[in-house]
Amino acid sequence: AKQVVEEEVDQMKETCNVDVVKLWIEDGDRDSNEIVVYSNLEVYEDSGKGCAFNPNSTYEEWLWMLTRKDGNSPWVLQDSGYN
């Protein structure tokens, strides 16, 4: 699941100068087919006009909601944002 989030952040870097400062999963969620990955994001001042985040900002506990069909299926990003 973390890899899906990291790939999404890499895609965001096309329009935003952003880094993941911290990425984590709450222990109780690891065996489910629905999972929330938490992240802290740092958005830098020189982010482009197409960036959905505010430049020169930190987003703490940004949520990434992922699902999968079963334990053998890949994780799919459904949504992201604040709770």
Side-chain angles (χ1 to χ4, degrees):
K2 285 183 179 181
Q3 181 178 350
V4 173
V5 171
E6 290 169 345
E7 290 170 359
E8 185 69 19
V9 171
D10 284 344
Q11 289 179 8
M12 290 169 47
K13 289 183 177 186
E14 293 176 11
T15 56
C16 294
N17 186 359
V18 61
D19 283 322
V20 173
V21 178
K22 184 177 178 183
L23 192 65
W24 72 99
I25 299 170
E26 297 294 328
D27 288 335
D29 295 338
R30 292 181 188 269
D31 295 327
S32 175
N33 291 323
E34 297 177 352
I35 197 165
V36 176
V37 178
Y38 300 84
S39 64
N40 291 349
L41 303 172
E42 186 71 33
V43 183
Y44 299 102
E45 186 175 343
D46 60 345
S47 290
K49 290 184 180 181
C51 184
F53 296 104
N54 292 324
N56 205 26
S57 299
T58 301
Y59 291 80
E60 295 183 352
E61 296 189 11
W62 187 263
L63 307 177
W64 305 84
M65 286 122 317
L66 298 96
T67 60
R68 63 183 178 185
K69 187 175 181 179
D70 56 45
N72 296 318
S73 300
W75 288 105
V76 177
L77 179 65
Q78 299 299 322
D79 202 1
S80 66
Y82 278 124
N83 187 7

